[in-house]
Amino acid sequence: MAEFPQELLDGYKNYKDTTYSALREDYEHLAIYGQEPKVMVISCCDSRVTPEGIFNAGPGSLFVVRNVANLVPPYEGEPGNHGTSAAIEYAVNNLRVEHLIIMGHCKCGGVQAFRENGGHLEDTGHFIGPWIKLLEPAAVSLACTPVEVNEDPQLGMEYAGVRQSLKNLMGFPFIARKVKEGALNLHGAWFDIGAGELRIMNPETQQFEMADNFLK
């Protein structure tokens, strides 16, 4: 068996000596009393995009799910291996999060694979192809009623994927009910890795605006 990566062990030592040491009481409280995050983030599993870092969130603040292209599948009532849906159900019904954010990002490999292999998604991989096929409704919507004007096609598709996932969320009965009751708020976001800029989707216009515009 190969040795555990030394750089990770070094990183753990630094975490234990600094981050954990400074927040030890917080971690102990979380261990004893459990988590009570108010926010769930569905983000891409891209190694360059870390919600906890982007939002400077402390331990226990965010309930994060990461998958290829930050997708939410349509609601399905039949039993199956619904990993993302199970996490959403737990966050909404058990943790009672108040905000659920779909966060896309620039240069998303999953979106790029869909755009470049739309007619032959099976070529992208046995598991990847069926998963990124979830972007098809977003592509149709983008082609019929584009929201952005003169945007880069990759960027436009990344935005459209976020919108489609938000639409799929409303297909979950328990989410639609909580949104109607005002107990849950849905949000779209997009992150520019190189510039370190966050964009927030305006719920009225469906367009993405700089997060700085929303700061108080």
Side-chain angles (χ1 to χ4, degrees):
M1 182 179 293
E3 293 184 359
F4 200 84
Q6 185 60 46
E7 61 269 25
L8 296 186
L9 293 175
D10 294 339
Y12 164 70
K13 182 179 185 305
N14 183 59
Y15 156 81
K16 194 70 181 295
D17 293 342
T18 57
T19 303
Y20 176 80
S21 178
L23 299 173
R24 180 168 183 166
E25 290 186 4
D26 293 337
Y27 281 112
E28 290 176 344
H29 184 276
L30 288 167
I32 295 172
Y33 298 104
Q35 60 175 326
E36 295 181 336
K38 299 299 181 185
V39 179
M40 177 182 190
V41 180
I42 298 178
S43 175
C44 186
C45 53
D46 192 301
S47 62
R48 301 167 295 177
V49 183
T50 56
E52 295 89 347
I54 293 168
F55 294 111
N56 194 32
S61 299
L62 301 179
F63 187 79
V64 178
V65 170
R66 302 177 68 172
N67 62 45
V68 173
N70 44 269
L71 298 174
V72 172
Y75 174 79
E76 294 183 13
E78 296 299 320
N81 297 317
H82 307 302
T84 296
S85 299
I88 292 169
E89 182 180 48
Y90 181 73
V92 173
N93 290 343
N94 294 78
L95 297 178
R96 294 182 174 83
V97 296
E98 298 173 3
H99 298 273
L100 202 166
I101 302 169
I102 307 295
M103 188 171 72
H105 69 94
C106 71
K107 303 297 188 294
C108 179
V111 171
Q112 182 178 349
F114 174 83
R115 292 183 56 245
E116 294 178 350
N117 301 275
H120 301 280
L121 291 179
E122 66 277 4
D123 294 341
T124 64
H126 179 74
F127 297 110
I128 297 173
W131 179 252
I132 60 177
K133 186 179 175 66
L134 293 172
L135 285 166
E136 282 188 347
V140 172
S141 176
L142 186 64
C144 295
T145 55
V147 177
E148 284 78 32
V149 179
N150 298 322
E151 287 281 13
D152 174 77
Q154 171 76 15
L155 178 60
M157 193 63 218
E158 289 163 359
Y159 286 168
V162 172
R163 294 191 195 98
Q164 185 61 46
S165 285
L166 289 169
K167 183 177 180 179
N168 288 348
L169 279 174
M170 289 300 291
F172 289 70
F174 56 89
I175 288 183
R177 183 176 63 254
K178 285 185 176 290
V179 169
K180 183 178 180 180
E181 294 171 350
L184 178 65
N185 300 281
L186 306 183
H187 310 276
W190 180 92
F191 185 68
D192 186 323
I193 298 168
E197 293 178 345
L198 182 70
R199 300 181 189 178
I200 305 296
M201 192 189 82
N202 186 313
E204 296 182 1
T205 65
Q206 298 281 293
Q207 292 184 320
F208 286 75
E209 304 175 10
M210 291 295 185
D212 291 354
N213 297 339
F214 296 87
L215 293 175
K216 297 180 178 180

